[in-house]
Amino acid sequence: MYKKVLGLWGITLLICCAEGAIGQKGSSNLSIHQAIETATTNYPTIRAKLLAIEAKQKESEATNLTYTMPSVVFQAQTLFATSNQVRGTYFSNEGAAIPSSGTTNINDVASEPVFSSFATILTSYKLATFGKKEADLKVANANIQQAKMDYEKEIYLHKAKVTDAYILSLVFQEATKIQQKNIERAQAFYQTIKANALAGLRAGVDTSLAIADIAKAKILLIESQKLAEQQKVRLAELLGTPLNTYALSDAKLVTSQPFALTVTPNENLNNHPILQYFASRVNASLLRINSVQKAYLPTIMARGAVWGKGSGIEDHLGADGNYVYNQSLSGLGFRAYNYLLGLTTVWNVADIFRIKKEVSAQNSLTQAFQRDMDEASIKIQSEIAQSSIEYQKAKEVFDQIPIQLESAKAAYSQAQARYQAGLGTILEVTQTQMVLNRAEIDEAVAKNNVWRAVLHQYASNGDLSSFLSQFN
């Protein structure tokens, strides 16, 4: 899985000359651990994952407050309205029917409006939730854990990418040094040819060929420098920094012979950061099923309220036997006060049918998460096998490098000696010089490929820290 993220950079190494990272003046040294620390601190995706954890923690706190804090509602109103009404009942129609609180006239209906006022403070507390509170809090905590596992997964994958990019930058840096050495070799040979040509010992065409060889060596250096700077930009991108003014300082990857750490195929991958993330998704989904099931149960509420009411309808009757209507602002003042204390509950029995469908949907989602986890497990096992093959073949190639390099050096020395003795041509020298340059590049690439293969072995096994520990 992480290899998809790392890409096929190894192919570039086998095709291209490789590149070197030239440290600029005033640039600071950057070790592999400093690179990882910088990346995990600055990279936007990782910072976003941290913010996601913070968001889930706030959501959990909000869920907890829903059950631990009482609800306190204050409501106040002043109205100028009629109070016309007749005896009988009506259905509120979910608030669309407006109640008329007032008197019934003896002789006729009345349409005189009056001022009225009303204010209340209502407090409610969920006294008993029959397990709904505990289920919701478990879901909230599971969401936090899932966000944390997502963060750990992203950290792990990004560390692998940064480490791989760092190793590539080092081999490109080494390749640039090799091309610089190749130029110096070509220039030294040119000086010898030039001296012989001036002395009449060699034809002038040899000098021209030597100059062409120097130009070719410079072209190879320019190409290596270009690739080196491009790789530094790529590494800077992974570090989350806009500039690449740094010098890589972990020379162990260049000077030391690569070796395989003790890699034991991990039969129990439960601790793999990637699988832990998928497992957290499954667990959170299972807890949501329990929470949805608890939603069917009622909630017993402890309630308390106080309220006051004022009205422009007087409390005494007029001469006509009806209550007296006073349309002045005196109706805004409270005339009566009340309170209540008690327990209430509302239980929608028909919710059981809806809840069953929601549970079924969440069960299907849980199974989908489990299948994703199974797929991730298969891919990781495949990567473990592939990384083992990668290391084996990279090591076999590296074992052949000394033979290639020594033979190339011997061929170049012999060609030079034959040319100096007048037995060989300059073409033999330039050809063997190209072979030697290719062998030196191959040595750097082969060594780098072994390091990367070891990295891939540990990364696929979920134990990247063991690989990085050797650079402490």
Side-chain angles (χ1 to χ4, degrees):
M1 181 174 298
Y2 70 95
K3 288 183 182 177
K4 290 182 180 178
V5 183
L6 296 179
L8 300 175
W9 292 336
I11 296 177
T12 304
L13 284 177
L14 297 176
I15 296 176
C16 302
C17 304
E19 68 181 341
I22 307 295
Q24 300 179 4
K25 242 183 187 178
S27 62
S28 58
N29 289 334
L30 183 72
S31 69
I32 193 167
H33 286 291
Q34 289 171 334
I36 290 174
E37 182 180 357
T38 301
T40 54
T41 301
N42 293 338
Y43 200 66
T45 301
I46 293 176
R47 296 174 68 180
K49 300 294 183 183
L50 279 175
L51 291 174
I53 294 175
E54 183 179 344
K56 293 301 180 182
Q57 289 172 336
K58 297 300 181 183
E59 288 179 5
S60 177
E61 293 172 6
T63 300
N64 186 53
L65 288 175
T66 300
Y67 291 100
T68 58
M69 288 290 293
S71 169
V72 180
V73 179
F74 171 76
Q75 189 255 9
Q77 61 182 358
T78 60
L79 302 172
F80 186 64
T82 61
S83 58
N84 214 14
Q85 65 179 10
V86 296
R87 292 182 178 87
T89 189
Y90 65 91
F91 179 63
S92 67
N93 201 21
E94 297 182 356
I98 301 173
S100 179
S101 177
T103 62
T104 302
N105 289 314
I106 297 176
N107 301 320
D108 199 358
V109 294
S111 59
E112 296 92 343
V114 294
F115 283 98
S116 62
S117 62
F118 180 79
T120 182
I121 297 177
L122 171 66
T123 180
S124 303
Y125 181 75
K126 295 178 180 177
L127 197 61
T129 62
F130 301 98
K132 175 65 175 173
K133 171 185 175 181
E134 291 74 15
D136 285 352
L137 291 178
K138 285 181 179 179
V139 170
N141 290 332
N143 289 336
I144 295 175
Q145 186 65 17
Q146 180 179 336
K148 288 181 178 179
M149 290 299 100
D150 191 20
Y151 169 75
E152 294 297 333
K153 170 181 69 71
E154 193 65 33
I155 285 282
Y156 188 81
L157 292 174
H158 201 67
K159 281 183 177 181
K161 286 191 288 185
V162 170
T163 304
D164 194 74
Y166 190 96
I167 295 175
L168 282 173
S169 291
L170 279 175
V171 73
F172 294 160
Q173 178 176 286
E174 183 66 15
T176 303
K177 293 178 181 178
I178 291 173
Q179 296 300 356
Q180 182 63 48
K181 179 181 176 182
N182 189 45
I183 291 178
E184 295 171 358
R185 188 161 48 218
Q187 289 174 333
F189 186 59
Y190 164 73
Q191 294 299 329
T192 301
I193 294 175
K194 182 179 179 182
N196 289 335
L198 292 175
L201 301 177
R202 288 292 178 181
V205 67
D206 286 4
T207 304
S208 299
L209 290 174
I211 292 174
D213 190 45
I214 292 174
K216 177 62 177 177
K218 288 182 178 180
I219 290 173
L220 292 175
L221 175 61
I222 292 171
E223 288 296 322
S224 291
Q225 289 173 336
K226 180 192 75 173
L227 294 172
E229 290 305 314
Q230 288 176 339
Q231 181 60 26
K232 286 188 71 177
V233 170
R234 170 59 179 158
L235 180 57
E237 175 191 343
L238 294 173
L239 297 181
T241 56
L243 301 176
N244 58 345
T245 55
Y246 52 79
L248 307 182
S249 60
D250 271 316
K252 181 177 183 179
L253 289 161
V254 175
T255 59
S256 301
Q257 179 172 335
F259 60 91
L261 301 173
T262 305
V263 182
T264 303
N266 193 348
E267 296 180 358
N268 182 10
L269 295 172
N270 292 333
N271 293 328
H272 198 292
I274 294 176
L275 294 184
Q276 283 188 325
Y277 164 69
F278 283 100
S280 69
R281 294 175 70 199
V282 173
N283 180 60
S285 186
L286 289 171
L287 291 174
R288 287 191 193 99
I289 292 174
N290 184 49
S291 176
V292 172
Q293 290 173 331
K294 296 292 184 182
Y296 170 68
L297 299 175
T299 299
I300 296 178
M301 306 288 293
R303 296 187 187 273
V306 293
W307 68 94
K309 190 175 189 309
S311 174
I313 303 175
E314 302 294 340
D315 294 330
H316 62 274
L317 298 176
D320 59 358
N322 293 317
Y323 285 94
V324 177
Y325 282 69
N326 185 349
Q327 294 182 335
S328 69
L329 295 177
S330 62
L332 298 180
F334 293 154
R335 289 164 48 192
Y337 299 91
N338 295 277
Y339 67 90
L340 70 81
L341 293 171
L343 302 177
T344 65
T345 185
V346 176
W347 188 10
N348 187 346
V349 180
D351 271 354
I352 187 172
F353 303 105
R354 177 182 59 83
I355 297 299
K356 282 184 177 180
K357 295 299 182 181
E358 291 186 8
V359 170
S360 178
Q362 195 64 46
N363 270 321
S364 297
L365 194 58
T366 303
Q367 292 177 21
F369 289 157
Q370 183 62 55
R371 298 294 84 78
D372 289 342
M373 183 176 176
D374 294 341
E375 180 184 0
S377 179
I378 292 172
K379 287 183 178 180
I380 289 174
Q381 291 174 7
S382 174
E383 288 164 4
I384 291 174
Q386 291 179 22
S387 64
S388 179
I389 296 172
E390 179 186 2
Y391 171 76
Q392 180 182 351
K393 296 307 176 183
K395 191 66 170 64
E396 289 177 4
V397 170
F398 183 74
D399 291 341
Q400 296 300 316
I401 290 298
I403 300 174
Q404 177 191 11
L405 187 59
E406 290 303 318
S407 298
K409 288 180 179 178
Y412 179 68
S413 297
Q414 291 168 6
Q416 276 192 316
R418 282 172 52 82
Y419 182 80
Q420 295 293 350
L423 300 177
T425 66
I426 190 173
L427 292 179
E428 292 178 357
V429 178
T430 56
Q431 287 176 348
T432 54
Q433 181 177 330
M434 290 177 60
V435 171
L436 176 58
N437 179 251
R438 181 70 260 176
E440 291 172 339
I441 291 294
D442 286 347
E443 180 190 32
V445 171
K447 182 185 295 183
N448 183 265
N449 283 343
V450 175
W451 279 116
R452 293 183 69 223
V454 175
L455 165 64
H456 295 166
Q457 279 187 303
Y458 277 86
S460 61
N461 275 274
D463 189 19
L464 190 60
S465 58
S466 294
F467 177 82
L468 295 173
S469 63
Q470 63 181 311
F471 300 102
N472 292 333

